[in-house]
Amino acid sequence: MTDRPILYTCARSRGLRATWAAEEAGVDIDLKILPFPPRYLAPDYLALNPLGTVPMLVDGETRMTESCAIAHYLATRSGYTDLAIAPGEPDYGEYLDYTYHADATITFPQTVYMRFAIFEKDKGWAEAGHAYAKWFHKRLVKIEERLKDREFLCANRFTVADICVGYALILAESVGLDDGVPESLKAYRKRLTQREAYLKAFEREEAGRKALAS
């Protein structure tokens, strides 16, 4: 048994937000990399998470399956750190807004695009997938406007909001959606992915993925 939080995820999935947040916050997690999709390739996982989705964080009696919530949790597990913004601090509301905006408004159309235009394109739904790609690109305007005169989204420092939004931009590059991403956001993404904690998180997930394949 371990008293470390256990993170179940697939390499390069939304769980990267949680792996990254753990590295930034210095939280020692037990990282469990699963084959994709786990509901089919790791059926025992369904006993832990009936949704069959990743990520999933297990921390004692706590069970969490939302990547942005897990990232915030890890950043505040032992009290507020600079990675999160506490009530009463400037940009507290904005911090919450951009953290939730990352998944609900930006990553959502990306996942629909991936399903219809990549994974199930042979079923005749590719056109719908590409429509969601346009939706994704149009909804980047809020982030673009926010970062016109800022290095980071909130409180003049790197926070979980940047992790959550940054992952959506990382995903865009990896699934063929980068043509519609503004150059300013590509520069923002480059800054984020040069961070030591991001590089460690990415390499840790890749090591787990390679171990599965061997």
Side-chain angles (χ1 to χ4, degrees), residues 9 18 23 47 66 82 92 112 120 133 153 160 165 169 174 192 196 199 202:
T9 190
E23 290 291 341
E66 295 297 329
D82 283 347
Y92 169 63
V112 178
E120 298 182 4
L153 288 167
V160 165
V165 169
L169 297 174
S174 66
L192 297 183
E196 182 179 358
L199 294 171
F202 182 83

Side-chain angles (χ1 to χ4, degrees), residues 18 35 42 50-51 62 66 74-75 88 90-91 99 116 134 145-146 207 212:
L51 293 174
T62 298
E66 295 297 329
L74 291 171
D91 280 357
T99 298
F116 291 162
K134 292 178 182 178
E145 290 290 327
R146 180 73 175 176
L212 278 178

Side-chain angles (χ1 to χ4, degrees), residues 7-193:
L7 180 66
Y8 297 89
T9 190
C10 296
R12 307 190 191 191
S13 74
R14 277 184 264 193
L16 181 56
R17 288 170 171 150
T19 311
W20 185 2
E23 290 291 341
E24 293 278 3
V27 177
D28 185 18
I29 59 169
D30 185 1
L31 186 63
K32 305 287 189 183
I33 299 295
L34 301 173
F36 180 83
R39 65 172 58 86
Y40 299 120
L41 300 180
D44 290 348
Y45 176 61
L46 292 171
L48 283 172
N49 178 12
L51 293 174
T53 58
V54 290
M56 180 180 186
L57 184 78
V58 178
D59 189 12
E61 296 301 313
T62 298
R63 302 287 189 274
M64 302 177 70
T65 59
E66 295 297 329
S67 62
C68 293
I70 294 170
H72 174 77
Y73 175 83
L74 291 171
T76 57
R77 181 173 177 261
S78 299
Y80 271 86
T81 66
D82 283 347
L83 284 173
I85 298 177
E89 280 192 77
D91 280 357
Y92 169 63
E94 288 81 359
Y95 167 78
L96 294 178
D97 191 53
Y98 283 101
T99 298
Y100 295 141
H101 179 76
D103 228 16
T105 302
I106 300 179
T107 309
F108 165 69
Q110 289 179 298
T111 56
V112 178
Y113 161 79
M114 290 166 64
R115 178 176 177 179
F116 291 162
I118 299 177
F119 299 136
E120 298 182 4
K121 62 182 179 181
D122 293 337
K123 294 183 179 180
W125 295 339
E127 185 176 348
H130 289 292
Y132 273 90
K134 292 178 182 178
W135 178 4
F136 162 69
H137 291 137
K138 288 178 180 178
R139 276 151 183 78
L140 291 175
V141 64
K142 178 174 176 174
I143 306 299
E144 186 180 16
E145 290 290 327
R146 180 73 175 176
L147 290 170
K148 272 187 175 179
D149 56 357
R150 293 176 173 85
E151 183 179 5
F152 302 115
L153 288 167
C154 303
N156 296 314
R157 68 179 190 260
F158 177 85
T159 68
V160 165
D162 296 294
I163 290 175
C164 293
V165 169
Y167 172 74
L169 297 174
I170 292 165
L171 182 62
E173 183 176 30
S174 66
V175 300
L177 290 173
D178 225 26
D179 286 349
V181 175
E183 290 302 318
S184 62
L185 296 189
K186 291 178 182 178
Y188 168 64
R189 178 179 64 204
K190 184 176 181 179
R191 294 197 302 273
L192 297 183
T193 55

